[in-house]
Amino acid sequence: MPVIDLLPRQKTTHSSLGAIPHDESTNVGNLEVLSCIFKDQYKLPDEMFNERLYLIYGDQKTTQRIRTIKSRRTKSIRAVDRLDWVLPVPALFHLRMNYLYMLNRVHFGALDDGSLATLHHAMNMWTRKGISRTNANFHALEQLVIHSFQSRVCALLWNKLGDVRLGSTREDIDRILCTYDSVRLHSLIREVVNCYEQESQYIINLEARNHILFLQHAQTYLLLKYAIKHADLGLILRAIRRSSVYFHASGQHKYAYEMLYLLRLVCTDASSPELQRAVLANGLVNTSGAEDSWFETDRLVEFHNGTLKTLFRDRRGSAMTVQYLMEKCALNTEFYQSLDNNITEFLQHAANGKHPQKDASLDIQAMAEKLFRSGSIAGTQGNSVSHEAIDLFEVALPRLAGDCLCKFNIKECRDLQDIDLNDIDEEAIEDIDTFFEDKNEQD
């Protein structure tokens, strides 16, 4: 797949499902969810499952349980019971969330560390709330990571321009950059990128090493975020490849396995080129039709769930129970949203439901100046640093070269006919053999 492979500009049409009153935490519950969606709501006949493949996107637990169910049903007679038509795919928004939380654990630091290269220092300097090492609000943590990345790049740029000895104040930097043409500016940016692409084991100063590792690790998240926003399948694939390595050093063993599974779907002969592209393309939606407004399919589901939670919180009462709201409102949210947009456009009333974001340019400049003036970004400061960020790439390589890939290949690349109950997780041993039987036969 080429590095630049943009999906054509289009507006995604979608229909919300009705209530699915089943528990997803068990294999039985996941089978009931599949039956509710495809048999009860879509009302698909059995012949629709003979030669078709349906992509199902979900988090790590969902995809793992569906694979377990499929492995138990390989010897079923009917195609609908074998679940050959189901292809579970790890969803991109859950990948983003887990990658972001991995960054937080690796680079958060501690209160008494004394380092300027930690997220803990940036959080306190900017007085950001809702973030800790073990628990963090997604949007607050994402802004902290992005702004920390930008401030370090600005500090490296400041340090690089300070070498020309034409001044080192903010006004001097602005004056110098105004004289650069596009070619010279591109060359300067390339020099800055080269500063944090160097191998960490050759950096003696611990704080400078932490800065470099954070830039390397956070760059992959920014790459994934940009690629999703612009629907660049080539860049998404590049980010998935890097993530599949990094997760093997993070302690998130289940997600490390999911990344290898996703990589097998989109990079190997296990899938045809058409299926590889379909797996990546169908993981994205675009509800506005703009070129840069793509987002993840599973995030659309989260938006819908959030709307339902708001309805339940605001409207539930003695006359409107949860059951009534699920039956009468679960399928109407998209319709009323579309109706609201049409009325707003007809009345020419400008309305923006998005929360405004505070301009962070002053925060970024202040942090960049502090990192530059203190010598933290250049590794010339004399502070004692106790936090040492791990090099995810260096830690992951021996694990991948050891038994991780071997175990994955044994489990995922074997012929399904050779799998027996000894190959299945204990939590999968449940009575699930009759859920897709014809309801008429049961009656």
Side-chain angles (χ1 to χ4, degrees):
M1 187 172 294
V3 174
I4 299 178
D5 183 14
L6 299 176
L7 290 180
R9 178 177 177 177
Q10 58 183 318
K11 186 173 182 179
T12 306
T13 58
H14 65 281
S15 300
S16 300
L17 292 170
I20 306 176
H22 302 295
D23 183 10
E24 294 180 277
S25 63
T26 65
N27 292 326
V28 171
N30 277 274
L31 262 180
E32 291 176 328
V33 170
L34 292 176
S35 179
C36 179
I37 293 174
F38 291 95
K39 301 287 282 187
D40 299 340
Q41 298 198 39
Y42 289 161
K43 299 187 182 301
L44 299 180
D46 288 352
E47 55 267 20
M48 293 292 292
F49 301 98
N50 292 335
E51 297 181 356
R52 295 198 177 193
L53 188 64
Y54 297 90
L55 305 181
I56 298 178
Y57 295 82
D59 57 13
Q60 178 271 327
K61 181 173 287 188
T62 299
T63 56
Q64 186 271 329
R65 289 193 181 280
I66 293 178
R67 289 199 302 270
T68 301
I69 295 168
K70 289 185 63 175
S71 65
R72 288 205 62 198
R73 288 173 161 261
T74 55
K75 298 182 180 179
S76 298
I77 298 176
R78 298 192 305 173
V80 64
D81 293 327
R82 286 196 303 273
L83 299 180
D84 290 340
W85 47 276
V86 175
L87 181 61
V89 181
L92 294 176
F93 182 60
H94 285 85
L95 166 59
R96 279 182 57 191
M97 286 195 299
N98 281 273
Y99 193 97
L100 199 62
Y101 297 146
M102 176 183 69
L103 285 177
N104 190 39
R105 288 194 302 275
V106 174
H107 296 283
F108 189 77
L111 176 63
D112 56 350
D113 182 70
S115 172
L116 306 184
T118 63
L119 292 175
H120 183 273
H121 169 265
M123 176 189 69
N124 285 277
M125 178 177 175
W126 292 331
T127 62
R128 305 291 176 88
K129 298 180 179 180
I131 303 171
S132 67
R133 188 179 186 277
T134 57
N135 188 22
N137 175 274
F138 172 79
H139 296 288
L141 178 58
E142 183 183 53
Q143 285 193 353
L144 179 65
V145 168
I146 292 175
H147 296 162
S148 297
F149 180 91
Q150 293 171 338
S151 63
R152 284 165 172 78
V153 171
C154 289
L156 287 173
L157 178 64
W158 207 320
N159 186 65
K160 183 64 65 175
L161 290 177
D163 293 340
V164 301
R165 302 185 184 280
L166 296 177
S168 59
T169 66
R170 190 177 304 172
E171 292 74 17
D172 293 333
I173 300 300
D174 292 339
R175 178 174 48 80
I176 294 171
L177 290 177
C178 288
T179 64
Y180 279 34
D181 57 14
S182 59
V183 176
R184 198 173 179 187
L185 183 61
H186 182 272
S187 177
L188 176 63
I189 294 174
R190 185 68 259 174
E191 291 180 23
V192 172
V193 172
N194 289 337
C195 288
Y196 68 81
E197 285 190 344
Q198 56 186 307
E199 297 185 22
S200 62
Q201 62 265 33
Y202 299 122
I203 303 175
I204 300 176
N205 184 275
L206 182 58
E207 186 164 352
R209 179 179 180 273
N210 288 346
H211 281 302
I212 297 302
L213 287 175
F214 175 80
L215 289 168
Q216 292 176 354
H217 299 158
Q219 181 179 248
T220 299
Y221 178 81
L222 296 178
L223 175 67
L224 180 61
K225 179 180 175 67
Y226 174 88
I228 290 173
K229 184 177 181 180
H230 296 270
D232 191 326
L233 303 186
L235 291 181
I236 291 177
L237 182 57
R238 177 183 292 185
I240 290 174
R241 284 170 171 162
R242 293 183 182 178
S243 300
S244 64
V245 175
Y246 286 158
F247 273 116
H248 279 84
S250 66
Q252 295 172 268
H253 305 296
K254 291 185 177 180
Y255 239 89
Y257 188 94
E258 289 302 309
M259 287 301 97
L260 290 179
Y261 170 76
L262 179 58
L263 204 60
R264 180 172 181 261
L265 286 181
V266 298
C267 291
T268 70
D269 293 338
S271 306
S272 65
E274 294 80 9
L275 180 56
Q276 293 176 12
R277 182 178 176 83
V279 167
L280 294 175
N282 285 279
L284 304 174
V285 294
N286 190 339
T287 56
S288 65
E291 293 181 353
D292 60 348
S293 61
W294 294 83
F295 60 96
E296 306 88 341
T297 299
D298 52 324
R299 197 173 189 181
L300 177 64
V301 177
E302 299 296 340
F303 289 155
H304 180 62
N305 292 339
T307 302
L308 292 178
K309 289 180 180 179
T310 302
L311 283 173
F312 296 163
R313 184 183 65 247
D314 296 342
R315 302 296 182 184
R316 187 172 60 178
S318 58
M320 300 182 69
T321 63
V322 172
Q323 182 177 357
Y324 174 86
L325 289 170
M326 291 296 291
E327 292 176 352
K328 305 298 182 182
C329 299
L331 295 176
N332 296 334
T333 56
E334 296 300 330
F335 168 75
Y336 285 120
Q337 180 65 46
S338 176
L339 181 63
D340 178 70
N341 294 337
N342 291 332
I343 293 175
T344 300
E345 183 178 356
F346 176 77
L347 297 177
Q348 297 182 350
H349 173 69
N352 187 357
K354 297 182 179 180
H355 294 287
Q357 292 187 356
K358 176 186 174 182
D359 184 11
S361 58
L362 294 180
D363 288 347
I364 294 172
Q365 290 179 14
M367 175 65 78
E369 185 170 7
K370 185 175 183 179
L371 295 177
F372 168 66
R373 298 291 184 194
S374 64
S376 175
I377 197 71
T380 58
Q381 90 295 346
N383 299 335
S384 60
V385 178
S386 58
H387 172 70
E388 181 178 358
I390 64 173
D391 188 335
L392 295 175
F393 191 79
E394 182 180 353
V395 175
L397 284 184
R399 294 181 180 178
L400 284 169
D403 59 352
C404 288
L405 282 177
C406 293
K407 289 181 178 178
F408 174 82
N409 290 334
I410 291 174
K411 189 170 184 180
E412 291 295 334
C413 301
R414 290 172 59 183
D415 190 336
L416 291 178
Q417 299 297 327
D418 296 333
I419 295 178
D420 54 34
L421 289 179
N422 294 326
D423 300 312
I424 302 173
D425 297 336
E426 291 184 1
E427 62 180 4
I429 308 301
E430 303 178 33
D431 185 16
I432 60 174
D433 293 331
T434 60
F435 274 90
F436 268 54
E437 289 184 359
D438 194 336
K439 297 185 181 297
N440 295 328
E441 293 179 2
Q442 292 181 356
D443 295 339

